[in-house]
Amino acid sequence: MAIKERLAELGLALPPPMRIAGQRFETVRIVGNRAIIAGHLPFGTDGELFGPLGKVGAEVSPDEAYQSARQVALVMISSLEAAGIDLDRIEWTKAFGMVNAAPGFNALPGVINGFSDLLLEVFGDKGRHSRSAIGVAELPFGVPVELEAEVALLPA
Amino acid sequence: MAIKERLAELGLALPPPMRIAGQRFETVRIVGNRAIIAGHLPFGTDGELFGPLGKVGAEVSPDEAYQSARQVALVMISSLEAAGIDLDRIEWTKAFGMVNAAPGFNALPGVINGFSDLLLEVFGDKGRHSRSAIGVAELPFGVPVELEAEVALLPA
Amino acid sequence: MAIKERLAELGLALPPPMRIAGQRFETVRIVGNRAIIAGHLPFGTDGELFGPLGKVGAEVSPDEAYQSARQVALVMISSLEAAGIDLDRIEWTKAFGMVNAAPGFNALPGVINGFSDLLLEVFGDKGRHSRSAIGVAELPFGVPVELEAEVALLPA
């Protein structure tokens, strides 16, 4: 099944591709058969920041942060498509997950699972990726979670 | 000398490959001639978390964290082998070292040297890698140190 | 215009390549057509740490940190040249920007823009890169900003 059909089947709507005002970097940088994906934040289908802001384990619950991580995956998929990449010709390879962690909150993998679960639901085996999950001191705009990632571009 | 012989010569025992309960990611992801290694934690030869937990510079001393970083390297080597990779056909290329740093503890390279020293002792020139060493806010399970890395797979 | 001429035109002097005492890692690691660049700190043309040390949003102002991020880019360029890489035959692909953030300081992209702006000024389209910008708990020596990056090596 094509990825776009799979997204529809799961009832998942893609938000707009990430585009931050005054952005000095490429959202997706293609080099050879790799697409290197910039750090993505949780944006909603309305293009606004999605979900609560703040530190996970304080202002933001782990469940809310899990949902935000799912949303980051959807924004990335949208950014890949906007970069002209055929979603049916990619394999996910790597993700780096950063949680805006309140002091003492170390259930970081559970938050980043939101991102990983969505990729596995949508892409199946092609969604399987290496990963780290860490707690950082601050994230842009106070978002609870940010991820960067990389995909391999498959020959047509 | 083969890597397994070199490990034996140095008296280094490999712990089990990393496998966290409910893990949603690949411990090692092979793509082309790269093996991308997920964030690894210090596990012991008994498969349990190795060494003290907590923040380096507070509950964990720099020397203890150095030993934990060495152990992370051993777990990674074990994970590579479990992924079917021939240890005699790899070159280390990149490592990203994350220290669970107490406020004000910034002797981060000295901790991550534990990882780098072990690779250089075992792999010699093939262990030479690019690296960053940073202090993060939280790490999974409260471990003092985590690293992710990448190796190049050499032709047979 | 050659990159060295462009640097001169802009009045930008290259600091020495990064070389930290007792360094256990490669400043630049070439693998295939990639050059993987270790975490770089802001050093000045005198080889000493550049600018104020401390946390951005507290001891270090955002503007000062922006200048430090520009300086990191210059040190990286110097390190690439010292590694024998022809500056006219590279394209920047990826950067990972880490800000030593005071609690509550999340204007992280504005700091890392110092790095990105310098690359775009010097390399033009070849300076365009994917990027993340995060706030970390501690950085080596208390520097306000550190970046690691990757470039693609173009055929002669």
Side-chain angles (χ1 to χ4, degrees):
Chain A
M1 187 186 301
I3 293 299
K4 293 302 284 279
E5 293 173 33
R6 179 69 178 146
L7 285 163
E9 185 181 61
L10 294 168
L12 296 169
L14 288 187
M18 192 173 79
R19 186 78 220 162
I20 293 170
Q23 178 179 314
R24 306 294 213 285
F25 57 88
E26 306 298 299
T27 307
V28 177
R29 178 74 167 82
I30 298 172
V31 49
N33 64 348
R34 303 161 62 201
I36 302 171
I37 306 169
H40 270 59
L41 311 180
F43 287 100
T45 50
D46 58 1
E48 302 295 319
L49 286 173
F50 169 95
L53 300 181
K55 294 207 170 285
V56 186
E59 300 93 340
V60 181
S61 75
D63 282 354
E64 289 170 326
Y66 174 93
Q67 292 300 327
S68 290
R70 285 181 70 89
Q71 198 66 23
V72 171
L74 291 171
V75 183
M76 271 194 193
I77 294 169
S78 181
S79 293
L80 286 170
E81 194 176 33
I85 291 170
D86 182 347
L87 298 178
D88 296 317
R89 300 259 172 225
I90 62 172
E91 282 185 349
W92 292 82
T93 55
K94 182 183 196 307
F96 189 73
M98 297 159 279
V99 177
N100 192 354
F105 179 77
N106 64 22
L108 311 157
V111 171
I112 302 300
N113 280 349
F115 179 89
S116 298
D117 285 348
L118 189 128
L119 290 191
L120 295 170
E121 291 166 19
V122 173
F123 288 87
D125 276 352
K126 288 182 177 174
R128 296 169 71 173
H129 53 279
S130 171
R131 193 187 90 180
S132 293
I134 67 166
V136 298
E138 298 287 344
L139 288 176
F141 310 115
V143 295
V145 61
E146 172 176 353
L147 283 112
E148 64 168 40
E150 190 175 320
V151 300
L153 306 177
L154 304 176
Chain B
M1 187 187 301
I3 293 298
K4 294 301 285 278
E5 293 173 34
R6 178 70 178 145
L7 285 163
E9 184 182 62
L10 294 168
L12 296 169
L14 287 187
M18 192 174 77
R19 187 78 220 163
I20 292 170
Q23 178 179 317
R24 305 294 214 286
F25 58 88
E26 307 298 299
T27 307
V28 176
R29 178 76 166 82
I30 298 172
V31 49
N33 64 348
R34 302 161 62 200
I36 301 171
I37 305 168
H40 270 58
L41 311 180
F43 288 100
T45 50
D46 59 0
E48 302 295 320
L49 286 173
F50 170 95
L53 301 181
K55 295 207 169 283
V56 185
E59 300 92 340
V60 181
S61 75
D63 282 353
E64 289 170 326
Y66 174 94
Q67 292 299 326
S68 289
R70 285 181 70 89
Q71 198 66 22
V72 171
L74 290 171
V75 183
M76 272 195 192
I77 294 168
S78 182
S79 292
L80 287 170
E81 193 174 35
I85 291 170
D86 182 346
L87 298 179
D88 297 316
R89 300 261 171 222
I90 63 172
E91 282 185 349
W92 293 82
T93 55
K94 182 184 196 305
F96 189 74
M98 298 159 278
V99 176
N100 193 354
F105 179 77
N106 63 22
L108 311 157
V111 171
I112 302 300
N113 280 349
F115 178 90
S116 298
D117 284 348
L118 188 129
L119 290 191
L120 294 171
E121 290 166 18
V122 174
F123 288 87
D125 276 351
K126 288 182 176 175
R128 295 169 71 173
H129 54 279
S130 171
R131 192 187 92 180
S132 294
I134 67 167
V136 299
E138 298 287 345
L139 288 176
F141 310 116
V143 295
V145 61
E146 172 177 352
L147 284 111
E148 64 168 40
E150 190 175 320
V151 299
L153 306 178
L154 304 175
Chain C
M1 187 187 300
I3 293 299
K4 294 302 285 277
E5 293 173 34
R6 178 70 178 143
L7 286 163
E9 185 182 60
L10 294 168
L12 296 169
L14 288 186
M18 192 172 78
R19 186 78 219 162
I20 292 170
Q23 178 179 316
R24 305 296 213 285
F25 57 88
E26 307 298 299
T27 307
V28 176
R29 178 76 166 80
I30 297 172
V31 49
N33 64 348
R34 302 161 62 200
I36 302 171
I37 306 168
H40 270 58
L41 311 180
F43 287 101
T45 49
D46 59 0
E48 301 296 319
L49 286 173
F50 170 96
L53 301 180
K55 295 207 170 285
V56 185
E59 300 92 341
V60 181
S61 75
D63 282 353
E64 288 170 327
Y66 174 93
Q67 292 300 327
S68 289
R70 285 181 70 89
Q71 198 66 22
V72 171
L74 291 172
V75 183
M76 272 194 193
I77 294 169
S78 181
S79 293
L80 287 170
E81 193 175 35
I85 292 170
D86 181 347
L87 298 178
D88 297 317
R89 300 260 171 224
I90 63 172
E91 283 186 348
W92 293 82
T93 56
K94 181 184 196 306
F96 190 74
M98 298 158 278
V99 176
N100 192 354
F105 179 77
N106 63 22
L108 311 157
V111 171
I112 302 300
N113 280 349
F115 178 89
S116 297
D117 284 349
L118 189 129
L119 290 191
L120 295 170
E121 290 165 19
V122 173
F123 288 87
D125 277 352
K126 288 183 177 173
R128 296 169 70 174
H129 54 279
S130 171
R131 193 187 91 180
S132 293
I134 67 166
V136 300
E138 297 288 344
L139 288 177
F141 310 116
V143 295
V145 61
E146 172 177 352
L147 283 112
E148 64 168 40
E150 190 175 320
V151 299
L153 307 178
L154 304 176

